Amino acid sequence: MSSHYEAPIRKPLIIGDKNYHDVTVDVARPVEGRANKQWWIAFAIALAAFLWGVACVAYTVGTGIGTWGSNKTVGWAWDITNFVWWVGIGHAGTLISAVLLLFRQKWRMAINRSAEAMTIFSVIQAAMFPVFHMGRPWLAYWVMPIPNQFGSLWVNFNSPLLWDVFAISTYLSVSLVFWWTGLLPDFAMLRDRAITPFTKQVYGILSFGWSGRAKDWQRFEEVSLVLAGLATPLVLSVHTIVSFDFATSVIPGWHTTILPPYFVAGAIFSGFAMVNTLLIIMRKLSNLEAYITVQHIELMNIVIMITGSIVGVAYITELFIAWYSGVEYEQYAFINRATGPYWWSYWLMMTCNVISPQVMWFKKIRTSIMVSFIISIVVNIGMWFERFVIIVTSLHRDYLPSSWTMFQPTFVDAGFYIGTIGFFFVLFLLYSRSFPVIAQAEVKSIMKTSSEKYKKLHEAHDNHSHSEHNHH
Amino acid sequence: MYTFSSRLKTFAFILMVLGALGVGYSFFTAPSTVEEAEAIVAAQHHGGHGEAAHHEAAAEGHEHSTEEAHAHAEPATDSVVVEHTESEVAHTAPDSVSPVAIEEHQDTIAVTAEAEHDKASPTGDAAEAGHEGHEAHSEVAAAHEGHDAHADHDAHKEHAEHVFHQLQNKPWAAVYVAALFFMLISLGALAFYGIQNAAQAGWSPVLFRVMEGITSYLIPGCIIVFILLVAGVLHFHHLFIWLDPAVVAEDHLIQGKSGYLNGPFFLIRAAIFMAGWIFYRQYSRKNSLLQDEATDNSYYKKNFKAAAAFLVFFIVTESIMSWDWIMSVDPHWYSTLFGWYVFASFFVSGITTIALITLYLKSRGYLEYVNTSHIHDLAKFMFGISVFWTYLWFSQFMLMWYADIPEEVVYFKMRIENYNLPFFGMVVMNFVLPILILINTDFKRLSWIVVLAGTIILCGHYVDFYNMIMPATVGDQWFIGAGEIGAVLFFLGLFILVVFTTLTKQPLLAKRNPLIEESKHFQY
């Protein structure tokens, strides 16, 4: 795929004196060991939050959507905010596994597995909102174009909400297949190391009989490339379609053409922040510091900085064009955001999304794990408020002043959101104990070019004969 | 070292001479009086040309009146708010005579006034326009009854003047589109170069000297575009109608924007942007050459930092540049996506140019270390960014089509009605053909395939810029003739001359770039 020569200026991606076996052992350890007390505490908290969310959803479905804070003017609020937020978070996984694969970024190999897992778990959270924000969720299957006994009553394919159905379901399925394909060699590794018959049986089923022959590897790589090629436009189109929910409308503040790429940039931004949050904890708790290095965190911070700047340019573009358009409603939408009753959410969003990533220009800051962790959380708060600002501030004051109103969430709104966070962590915690969280097969493929040990060997070797490399 | 082959040099000179002749011819044949414009239009009709959409309508029998309706509908199509048109209609309507024309007017007014009401008119200006629309409506109705033969002449004269302005714009617009296109190709290559530096790409350093050669056109290119912008401010041409005080005087919307759209500020912005781009280009080229002779990586590091700084400067200035130099030819229309859309268009053109010049130099035996893997990577970028361009094109088009808000949808209505073939043809050239040709891995390694796809992409993006500028400046009087082809040939010749001259100045391989070894051994 790529050449075996690597420039000396590139820093090692695998730290320490690791060999192939060390990688296997390090990756398998969390799966083969037993969960400690901290894990059980974290799991219990996540489970409690999840169950509370289930209760709130049950209450909503049983009693009616009026238990939420949405009203006649603000028909979409926390539900769609959370939906877009979760979908956005999911995007980084595909970005890391697909786009970084296309750009041959070797550093993705230590983080792609967890990022993909994060994608799948957050898309699951996201997918619940479109269902449960319906007034009659038990008729949700009507959104599917299924032949039926109503004289074949069909869906209208002109609605972005229907496109959402196709986008999200396709996205979830493709991500799942992509992720699972990559897991085959790693499950096989766990299968081959299993001591108990039960785990052998389980990982034997999960690994689909992977035997790692040359032909299999060749096809495996080809499939990964094709899926990466498909997942990249998919990931762009999914968040684009989500942005169409707003941009196709005629609401001032919503109807703007920059929304598709700007939502995608925001998704990468928030998704990478979430990956950073999770991996900073995981590398510590699972003893994976040799693979998820400070350089990985630094590079993720750089992606956050770049996408944060793109989002910043988009904010300024929207502001400028609102003025330039000469459309009073458009101008007011932005004045309202900055100075209206939700000014605090707008300025919170601006501070978190535009200013906070700019500190990453300083190497000291972007290589500090503590600061990275804080900023990664700040960014996700900011991105939640971005969606909230776009949705609520555009709705609560638009064309007719007689329809102006406010939005106040209820505990049920919050409960559903907390429930999805709980559910996400339930899934992620279970994943981190039962799945190989680092794609060991991939990491092994960069061992000889990018590990600290081999880099030192190369260096010593290079001093003797430089010409050797020229004949690969 | 590369030596500029005398044949290529001669070829470049021939292109420039032919191009200059074409441009000169188009300026020479542009009408200098209204009467001449009338004669040209008349000749087009009798000659039975069918190239512009409105001529087809003419064939329906009421040639004259359709023309007239067009003339008045025209500004409305170009511009967003009806107010401008409305007042025009209000002035001319009482005099006008042809019943068909009046019907057409009424339609326009009814539609626009209705639209204003539906939307509860976004601006005070537009609200006024709505009222004016009503007045005009009744006036038209009155005029309908009491028309006289004399008035016909006045309306006709107004139309002729309108066509006269469009025809006068035509040679200028042709030069402007070509000058801008080639300058932006160079800027696109510079952005790619900046990204490659900032990303520490391991495959591309063997192509850096080629990229630096292409970006050398930035200086003459920027100077020419700047001169054209100055010419606009000095009223030598009328491509930017907001520079015309007479237009601004009766246009409330443009007046509202004049804090931004005014001659001096426009030129200052342009000067700052161009200076910034050129500065980065010169600075990084200098460091790149110094790195060849250095003993450490300090110049490489300087270039890395400069690339990061440039990319920040670039993303901001590029957006503003696209509003200033392109979007403002339709001063009533706006789109937030526009800057990024323009970027995708010239970025892919820049990468394509890098691929084409690399292939040319390779075929002459100059680029020892460039192999099919490098070409493959460039072709992948051509493919990927073509898809990205289409994504942005579609997003902008579909969102406006879907919401169908009159202020913005007129932009596409005008283009679909009068520029149908170029508008949809460019989607075929910039998306359908590249995606079909370049999806195959083996094909991306074949020189002739990449040249074929590259040629289609470059032509397609020329048409893209053509579609952005022409509808607002020449309207339905567009035609790709001596002026347009001449301008492209002239700038192509100049581009070849400048770029290949720069390539002769330094060795084509960056020697001490810390990533050059990776690049030399790059295999994919």
Side-chain angles (χ1 to χ4, degrees):
Chain A
M1 188 174 151
S2 53
S3 68
H4 290 290
Y5 173 79
E6 195 171 274
I9 58 157
R10 299 208 192 273
K11 283 179 264 166
L13 292 168
I14 303 166
I15 305 288
D17 189 27
K18 300 281 182 193
N19 60 28
Y20 289 116
H21 183 63
D22 295 334
V23 177
T24 307
V25 172
D26 289 341
V27 172
R29 191 185 303 112
V31 182
E32 291 169 348
R34 298 189 72 84
N36 60 15
K37 208 170 158 190
Q38 287 160 311
W39 187 89
W40 281 109
I41 293 170
F43 185 74
I45 295 171
L47 191 67
F50 171 42
L51 292 175
W52 173 239
V54 171
C56 286
V57 169
Y59 176 54
T60 304
V61 175
T63 312
I65 215 79
T67 54
W68 292 1
S70 308
N71 53 52
K72 280 189 201 163
T73 299
V74 186
W76 276 356
W78 274 43
D79 46 356
I80 301 301
T81 300
N82 296 332
F83 162 69
V84 181
W85 188 72
W86 276 119
V87 178
I89 285 175
H91 275 44
T94 319
L95 250 298
I96 287 167
S97 49
V99 177
L100 297 187
L101 173 71
L102 295 183
F103 284 110
R104 299 191 291 261
Q105 298 296 304
K106 291 176 180 174
W107 60 279
R108 80 171 211 291
M109 289 174 178
I111 55 172
N112 58 359
R113 174 68 41 74
S114 296
E116 271 282 281
M118 187 198 71
T119 292
I120 287 154
F121 303 149
S122 48
V123 173
I124 290 171
Q125 309 314 318
M128 284 195 286
F129 289 97
V131 175
F132 292 113
H133 90 311
M134 288 181 178
R136 297 173 184 84
W138 48 90
L139 296 180
Y141 70 97
W142 282 13
V143 304
M144 297 293 175
I146 310 167
N148 53 60
Q149 292 175 333
F150 297 100
S152 263
L153 184 65
W154 292 99
V155 286
N156 184 344
F157 285 94
N158 288 337
S159 166
L161 299 182
L162 183 69
W163 308 340
D164 270 346
V165 174
F166 300 128
I168 301 292
S169 53
T170 311
Y171 184 49
L172 185 59
S173 358
V174 172
S175 298
L176 200 59
V177 170
F178 195 13
W179 187 53
W180 207 276
T181 315
L183 275 161
L184 293 179
D186 291 7
F187 277 146
M189 178 270 281
L190 289 175
R191 171 199 65 197
D192 297 343
R193 287 173 55 87
I195 320 164
T196 67
F198 176 70
T199 46
K200 192 152 197 92
Q201 181 84 24
V202 169
Y203 289 111
I205 292 169
L206 295 180
S207 61
F208 292 0
W210 176 266
S211 58
R213 289 170 303 176
K215 198 75 198 169
D216 297 348
W217 276 114
Q218 188 228 332
R219 286 175 178 153
F220 175 89
E221 297 233 327
E222 206 135 314
V223 163
S224 305
L225 262 184
V226 170
L227 281 178
L230 287 174
T232 304
L234 188 62
V235 78
L236 260 77
S237 69
V238 169
H239 220 65
T240 293
I241 287 170
V242 170
S243 82
F244 285 167
D245 295 348
F246 312 102
T248 53
S249 73
V250 292
I251 304 291
W254 279 13
H255 180 75
T256 172
T257 51
I258 207 170
L259 236 50
Y262 148 59
F263 261 48
V264 173
I268 303 169
F269 180 54
S270 68
F272 265 80
M274 186 60 116
V275 176
N276 232 351
T277 313
L278 295 173
L279 289 186
I280 286 173
I281 300 172
M282 183 187 264
R283 70 193 284 275
K284 189 90 189 151
L285 295 181
S286 299
N287 292 316
L288 295 169
E289 283 114 324
Y291 307 99
I292 302 166
T293 66
V294 175
Q295 196 194 168
H296 287 87
I297 293 170
E298 183 185 359
L299 287 165
M300 283 194 273
N301 282 334
I302 290 175
V303 175
I304 290 171
M305 177 183 84
I306 293 169
T307 47
S309 305
I310 293 173
V311 168
V313 169
Y315 287 164
I316 295 163
T317 302
E318 278 196 314
L319 277 174
F320 173 78
I321 298 289
W323 171 79
Y324 180 86
S325 71
V327 179
E328 211 175 38
Y329 296 98
E330 202 64 49
Q331 292 170 343
Y332 181 71
F334 284 89
I335 292 170
N336 181 44
R337 281 182 191 182
T339 63
Y342 291 108
W343 63 271
W344 51 272
S345 60
Y346 179 79
W347 291 107
L348 197 61
M349 157 192 122
M350 276 290 188
T351 317
C352 294
N353 294 348
V354 182
I355 298 166
S356 83
Q358 298 306 320
V359 300
M360 297 300 185
W361 286 100
F362 302 100
K363 193 175 174 80
K364 262 225 171 84
I365 291 180
R366 67 171 183 262
T367 51
S368 152
I369 293 173
M370 200 56 209
V371 178
S372 306
F373 185 73
I374 295 168
I375 299 262
S376 72
I377 288 170
V378 166
V379 164
N380 267 317
I381 295 172
M383 285 307 291
W384 190 88
F385 275 101
E386 182 198 292
R387 279 64 181 255
F388 177 81
V389 165
I390 291 174
I391 294 171
V392 172
T393 64
S394 307
L395 286 178
H396 87 120
R397 289 185 175 179
D398 63 353
Y399 293 115
L400 284 178
S402 59
S403 303
W404 286 9
T405 182
M406 290 294 288
F407 165 76
Q408 183 71 44
T410 65
F411 79 93
V412 191
D413 282 304
F416 190 5
Y417 179 46
I418 291 166
T420 55
I421 294 173
F423 191 17
F424 175 82
F425 279 103
V426 164
L427 292 170
F428 199 82
L429 284 165
L430 287 172
Y431 150 83
S432 69
R433 304 262 344 126
S434 51
F435 279 54
V437 295
I438 285 183
Q440 52 92 27
E442 292 205 55
V443 167
K444 285 173 183 170
S445 74
I446 55 166
M447 180 70 95
K448 289 201 170 165
T449 53
S450 311
S451 74
E452 195 178 6
K453 181 181 169 183
Y454 280 92
K455 279 202 171 274
K456 276 183 187 150
L457 280 173
H458 282 305
E459 229 169 273
H461 183 72
D462 271 11
N463 291 342
H464 297 298
S465 75
H466 193 267
S467 60
E468 202 266 329
H469 288 305
N470 300 342
H471 302 289
H472 272 296
Chain B
M1 289 290 276
Y2 169 70
T3 40
F4 199 162
S5 88
S6 59
R7 275 162 87 190
L8 186 63
K9 199 179 263 179
T10 317
F11 177 64
F13 278 121
I14 292 171
L15 286 178
M16 287 177 71
V17 171
L18 282 177
L21 286 174
V23 171
Y25 173 78
S26 73
F27 272 102
F28 183 70
T29 51
S32 50
T33 61
V34 179
E35 285 70 36
E36 278 179 44
E38 278 184 294
I40 290 170
V41 174
Q44 275 173 4
H45 282 285
H46 298 305
H49 279 260
E51 74 278 1
H54 78 277
H55 295 311
E56 287 162 29
E60 281 168 33
H62 37 262
E63 194 176 318
H64 202 97
S65 43
T66 322
E67 283 281 337
E68 219 168 72
H70 231 286
H72 299 305
E74 178 72 38
T77 339
D78 280 352
S79 51
V80 178
V81 171
V82 229
E83 188 248 350
H84 185 59
T85 327
E86 231 80 85
S87 53
E88 203 176 357
V89 173
H91 291 306
T92 56
D95 304 332
S96 80
V97 100
S98 150
V100 185
I102 291 166
E103 258 171 48
E104 295 259 5
H105 285 314
Q106 283 176 320
D107 283 352
T108 322
I109 293 159
V111 168
T112 45
E114 212 176 275
E116 290 304 324
H117 284 292
D118 283 352
K119 291 180 27 295
S121 61
T123 60
D125 295 345
E128 259 172 56
H131 291 303
E132 271 180 61
H134 277 303
E135 282 164 33
H137 203 305
S138 48
E139 273 178 285
V140 171
H144 199 310
E145 288 155 26
H147 57 267
D148 63 344
H150 176 66
D152 184 23
H153 184 65
D154 281 355
H156 176 77
K157 205 174 126 200
E158 187 136 340
H159 164 239
E161 255 173 41
H162 183 70
V163 172
F164 166 62
H165 287 307
Q166 292 183 329
L167 287 174
Q168 266 202 324
N169 269 343
K170 209 170 159 294
W172 282 102
V175 171
Y176 184 63
V177 170
L180 199 60
F181 181 60
F182 281 93
M183 188 277 278
L184 289 178
I185 283 179
S186 180
L187 185 63
L190 187 68
F192 190 72
Y193 177 74
I195 291 170
Q196 296 299 309
N197 270 295
Q200 298 185 302
W203 67 278
S204 54
V206 290
L207 303 171
F208 278 1
R209 288 292 142 80
V210 178
M211 297 183 205
E212 286 163 15
I214 294 170
T215 57
S216 68
Y217 179 76
L218 201 59
I219 300 175
C222 279
I223 291 173
I224 293 166
V225 170
F226 192 73
I227 290 172
L228 285 171
L229 299 181
V230 171
V233 174
L234 298 177
H235 306 297
F236 285 106
H237 62 72
H238 303 281
L239 300 181
F240 303 95
I241 57 158
W242 53 267
L243 280 167
D244 185 345
V247 172
V248 179
E250 56 184 49
D251 190 319
H252 295 296
L253 262 173
I254 299 183
Q255 280 165 19
K257 299 176 191 200
S258 59
Y260 182 79
L261 290 182
N262 61 71
F265 190 26
F266 175 71
L267 290 182
I268 291 168
R269 285 196 301 270
I272 293 171
F273 301 165
M274 289 169 169
W277 304 332
I278 290 171
F279 173 76
Y280 167 69
R281 192 269 160 193
Q282 298 301 88
Y283 180 77
S284 62
R285 163 78 164 180
K286 190 188 79 188
N287 283 335
S288 169
L289 295 176
L290 286 171
Q291 179 65 33
D292 275 4
E293 312 302 328
T295 50
D296 60 2
N297 288 338
S298 58
Y299 292 108
Y300 164 79
K301 283 176 188 156
K302 276 186 184 169
N303 257 2
F304 172 78
K305 286 184 179 166
F310 163 72
L311 289 172
V312 174
F313 179 76
F314 176 76
I315 190 175
V316 176
T317 53
E318 188 277 329
S319 296
I320 303 175
M321 171 277 282
S322 69
W323 306 332
D324 280 7
W325 305 350
I326 304 174
M327 199 165 87
S328 83
V329 294
D330 287 289
H332 287 173
W333 184 79
Y334 52 89
S335 166
T336 42
L337 184 57
F338 197 72
W340 297 358
Y341 168 71
V342 171
F343 164 71
S345 186
F346 71 76
F347 189 55
V348 71
S349 307
I351 295 169
T352 303
T353 308
I354 295 170
L356 294 182
I357 292 183
T358 304
L359 281 171
Y360 171 78
L361 292 171
K362 179 76 187 164
S363 75
R364 302 280 138 163
Y366 283 107
L367 296 169
E368 190 192 345
Y369 290 101
V370 172
N371 57 40
T372 51
S373 292
H374 295 99
I375 303 302
H376 186 181
D377 265 22
L378 284 169
K380 275 190 275 187
F381 272 107
M382 287 159 60
F383 173 87
I385 310 293
S386 289
V387 177
F388 181 65
W389 173 87
T390 315
Y391 161 64
L392 296 179
W393 173 81
F394 178 76
S395 295
Q396 184 170 272
F397 171 63
M398 191 280 277
L399 288 176
M400 293 194 172
W401 168 83
Y402 192 109
D404 206 19
I405 297 173
E407 282 97 324
E408 48 180 41
V409 85
V410 284
Y411 184 84
F412 290 109
K413 187 170 155 35
M414 160 65 175
R415 278 157 179 78
I416 290 173
E417 281 173 2
N418 295 316
Y419 286 74
N420 198 289
L421 182 63
F423 186 71
F424 290 108
M426 94 180 158
V427 182
V428 175
M429 292 166 85
N430 293 340
F431 175 61
V432 181
L433 294 178
I435 201 175
L436 292 177
I437 297 170
L438 291 176
I439 194 144
N440 185 308
T441 296
D442 296 330
F443 282 9
K444 284 193 279 270
R445 289 167 177 268
L446 294 176
S447 303
W448 71 272
I449 292 267
V450 177
V451 170
L452 171 74
T455 313
I456 294 170
I457 290 173
L458 286 178
C459 293
H461 285 280
Y462 170 76
V463 177
D464 188 10
F465 280 93
Y466 189 87
N467 280 331
M468 289 191 243
I469 299 288
M470 291 297 176
T473 49
V474 304
D476 57 7
Q477 296 299 317
W478 71 276
F479 180 66
I480 297 188
E484 287 76 9
I485 295 170
V488 170
L489 294 183
F490 176 81
F491 286 105
L492 179 62
L494 184 66
F495 185 83
I496 292 174
L497 200 64
V498 172
V499 170
F500 284 86
T501 304
T502 311
L503 289 172
T504 61
K505 300 268 171 69
Q506 296 292 338
L508 289 179
L509 185 68
K511 268 180 290 201
R512 273 209 77 263
N513 185 303
L515 295 163
I516 196 78
E517 284 298 316
E518 253 185 48
S519 182
K520 280 188 198 166
H521 301 119
F522 172 65
Q523 288 294 334
Y524 180 75

